[in-house]
Amino acid sequence: MPEPHTRTVVVLAAGEGKRMKSSLPKVLHPLLGRTLVGHVLNAADPLDAARTLVVVGHGADQVRVHLAGTAPAATALHQAEQLGTGHAVRIALEAAPEVTGTVVVLNGDVPLLRPETVVELVTAHESEGAAATVLAAEVPDPTGLGRIVRDAAGRLEQIVEQRDATPDQLAVREINAGIYAFDAARLRDVLGKLSTDNDQGEEYLTDVFKMLVSAGEPVGVHLAADHTETLGCNDRVELAALRRLLRDRVNERWMRAGVSLLDPETTWIDVTVALDRDAVVDQNTQLCGGSVVGSGAVVGPDVTLIDTVVGPGATVLRSHAVGAEVGPGASVGPYAYLRPDARLAERSKVGTFVEVKNSEIGVGSKVPHLTYVGDATIGEQSNIGAASVFVNYDGVRKHRTVIGSHARTGADNMFVAPVRVGDGAYTAAGSVIIEDVPSGAMGVARARQRNIDGWVLKRRAGTAAAEAAERALRGAQGAPAAASSASEGEAIHGTAESVGGAPGAGDTATE
Ligand code: UD1
Ligand code: MG
């Protein structure tokens, strides 16, 4: 067995990407779950490189911060002036004199590259003992790209940039993908001799091939089976096209793995998302970041999940969720907003126009309508009445509300935290709960109702309301209403039912 080659990965990420017209460095633009440079680093991952060097320059501080967070094993090397791809590799190798073996160079703006393709390129390069091997592709439109120029025998002669090419060379549709494997020693030899004698006055890495060929060194071309892998990103139109291609690739993979995508063209799944067999994703749905959708769960239509875990058999309909957990068989939406640390246990429900933040909703508990649940713990099998607010913020600090199990809270409650409602307790509709409600108690906290009889007939005489009231009263009493005789003083009293604000039937009836 020959010694395995030591490998070093060099990613070129110093360019400004002028055509992006962006304050964000080009390689940091996001594409379905990773940045452009993140995709490239991921493609190089299976090489098991001893070192990964990333050449940074434009927006170097931002790129360094990003690398520290996402690829801490990579070393950023600074290219102060962007004098060309050859110059960038020269800087990298000068900063790492210990590098020997295979040097794999990847442009930082080729995000659709597959790991398998990089491995094939490097394996071919190493097994052939080549001095340099370039990844090439046959493309329908080579405009703007470096052309692979071969001699009469079909051997690589040189790589020529679009702007330096002759009309014959421009007709070539075989292009340089910007991904290469080099023998470190032979690369070092020629890097120091690169000229800037070209249309851009830059040191072109691609010139290394011409120089090695004329020195009689063996160079190779590895053709990518799928040319879309080699597409670069130079402006936002290209970025959008890459996003569609990657979407289709990701979606196809999930469908083949047993996930139903009802409308793949409007389904956008980050490469970092995981889906189980028999998950169903309906149209206009974005699944982002570390989101996971369990088996048999139905997500969509019109759902965005960011870093959200949806358990098996759960449903999420027309909703937005960030950093949330939806338990097995739970139901969310339509029109729910789950915020970080919303944790919905098994078979729980968060219904229509409900917002939940930093709260646990216990097994089988329901928050069906028009409610804000913030900083709360709700036990099992409880029901929260419609239009309630968990009042968690005193203007300075946040406080928690705790609702027990099998509780029934009335519609239109305010839970002014910190406050507790015990197991099996009820609260009356329209209550502002500022004190704990013991287990099994009914908490009532609202003003008494008073009815001023005949008020409309007197104060709004002649209106449709007054006429309707008159008809109703006549019908009820079988006699004309005595509107003129009612005075406000006489009419002010409460009915027996409303005195004391005691809860009646329907107080908690918003299940
Ligand atoms: C390059 C190739 C071209 C190939 C194409 C594939 C050269 C001379 N040309 O052209 O043959 O078809 O990629 O996409 O290499 N960079 C630096 N420092 C620099 C210059 C560039 O780090 O001084 C980085 C850029 O950030 C980018 C990568 O190198 O990630 C490629 O540079 P770019 O300017 O996009 O080269 P192309 O014109 O696309
Ligand atoms: Mg480019």
Side-chain angles (χ1 to χ4, degrees):
M1 281 280 285
E3 281 279 296
H5 293 259
T6 307
R7 292 167 178 169
T8 300
V9 164
V10 180
V11 176
L12 307 186
E16 175 180 358
K18 281 195 194 67
R19 286 165 283 174
M20 295 296 283
K21 302 198 172 142
S22 176
S23 53
L24 189 67
K26 173 165 84 175
V27 295
L28 294 191
H29 276 258
L31 179 65
L32 291 185
R34 289 195 188 105
T35 58
L36 299 184
V37 70
H39 281 286
V40 172
L41 286 164
N42 181 67
D45 198 48
L47 293 176
D48 279 328
R51 298 197 61 176
T52 298
L53 310 174
V54 182
V55 182
V56 301
H58 189 83
D61 290 345
Q62 278 168 284
V63 181
R64 275 178 203 275
V65 168
H66 173 66
L67 291 173
T70 56
T75 308
L77 296 173
H78 198 244
Q79 184 192 23
E81 276 183 286
Q82 284 73 60
L83 303 177
T85 48
H87 180 256
V89 175
R90 183 154 68 79
I91 298 250
L93 291 193
E94 279 167 7
E98 73 286 2
V99 166
T100 57
T102 305
V103 175
V104 184
V105 177
L106 303 103
N107 281 358
D109 64 349
V110 189
L112 299 196
L113 191 65
R114 286 188 171 90
E116 306 87 278
T117 306
V118 180
V119 170
E120 282 168 22
L121 165 77
V122 174
T123 311
H125 168 82
E126 289 171 349
S127 64
E128 284 157 26
T133 309
V134 57
L135 183 70
E138 289 273 2
V139 296
D141 177 13
T143 309
L145 294 164
R147 309 296 205 278
I148 302 290
V149 178
R150 295 175 183 262
D151 66 15
R155 286 182 303 249
L156 175 64
E157 207 170 58
Q158 59 172 326
I159 300 171
V160 180
E161 293 306 297
Q162 161 105 15
R163 47 209 302 172
D164 304 302
T166 65
D168 275 0
Q169 292 166 340
L170 285 177
V172 173
R173 289 192 301 111
E174 189 183 10
I175 58 88
N176 164 25
I179 314 293
Y180 325 81
F182 297 101
D183 170 66
R186 288 181 278 186
L187 176 61
R188 275 186 206 280
D189 277 351
V190 287
L191 273 181
K193 300 171 197 154
L194 284 177
S195 86
T196 53
D197 183 18
N198 53 54
D199 188 63
Q200 296 191 84
E202 290 185 352
E203 290 180 34
Y204 286 167
L205 179 60
T206 44
D207 283 349
V208 161
F209 285 84
K210 179 171 64 186
M211 295 159 82
L212 289 170
V213 168
S214 58
E217 297 281 2
V219 299
V221 179
H222 184 81
L223 202 60
D226 171 7
H227 78 85
T228 65
E229 280 187 53
T230 68
L231 292 172
C233 175
N234 294 304
D235 61 30
R236 299 194 199 224
V237 177
E238 287 179 359
L239 181 58
L242 295 181
R243 188 174 286 114
R244 287 191 294 272
L245 283 166
L246 187 56
R247 173 200 64 195
D248 291 346
R249 191 198 283 180
V250 169
N251 287 353
E252 181 173 339
R253 174 163 80 90
W254 287 120
M255 288 187 282
R256 296 206 184 283
V259 172
S260 288
L261 304 183
L262 303 191
D263 186 17
E265 297 209 338
T266 63
T267 301
W268 299 84
I269 304 175
D270 281 359
V271 294
T272 43
V273 165
L275 300 151
D276 283 345
R277 261 171 87 125
D278 290 320
V280 177
V281 183
D282 207 338
Q283 64 185 4
N284 291 327
T285 293
Q286 296 163 272
L287 307 178
C288 308
S291 295
V292 176
V293 179
S295 172
V298 180
V299 174
D302 306 329
V303 166
T304 298
L305 300 183
I306 302 163
D307 297 325
T308 290
V309 177
V310 175
T315 57
V316 183
L317 172 62
R318 294 189 213 283
S319 293
H320 186 96
V322 188
E325 250 179 65
V326 178
S331 140
V332 176
Y335 309 109
Y337 179 22
L338 303 182
R339 290 168 51 199
D341 294 313
R343 292 185 211 289
L344 282 52
E346 211 174 322
R347 285 174 283 108
S348 62
K349 174 183 173 128
V350 164
T352 311
F353 300 114
V354 173
E355 175 179 343
V356 182
K357 183 217 69 168
N358 187 29
S359 294
E360 283 104 50
I361 297 178
V363 175
S365 285
K366 295 178 180 174
V367 187
H369 334 269
L370 301 159
T371 291
Y372 172 58
V373 181
D375 301 303
T377 302
I378 299 173
E380 300 186 357
Q381 308 295 346
S382 287
N383 188 80
I384 305 302
S388 293
V389 174
F390 286 63
V391 184
N392 57 334
Y393 186 42
D394 64 11
V396 181
R397 276 181 300 160
K398 304 283 170 70
H399 303 278
R400 259 192 118 67
T401 297
V402 179
I403 310 265
S405 293
H406 295 279
R408 297 280 178 275
T409 67
D412 193 27
N413 276 191
M414 301 287 126
F415 299 100
V416 183
V419 74
R420 304 175 79 91
V421 174
D423 288 349
Y426 278 51
T427 61
S431 289
V432 178
I433 301 294
I434 61 169
E435 284 169 21
D436 290 358
V437 180
S439 291
M442 162 63 87
V444 188
R446 63 186 181 201
R448 291 182 180 193
Q449 178 174 337
R450 59 180 191 145
N451 294 335
I452 305 170
D453 286 342
W455 188 95
V456 175
L457 303 180
K458 187 176 172 213
R459 296 293 186 88
R460 297 292 183 267
T463 64
E467 284 163 16
E470 236 167 330
R471 280 195 300 276
L473 291 168
R474 215 183 291 125
Q477 296 168 0
S484 54
S485 68
S487 82
E488 201 174 306
E490 288 162 340
I492 297 172
H493 58 79
T495 65
E497 290 77 7
S498 69
V499 169
D507 254 323
T508 61
T510 56
E511 254 198 357

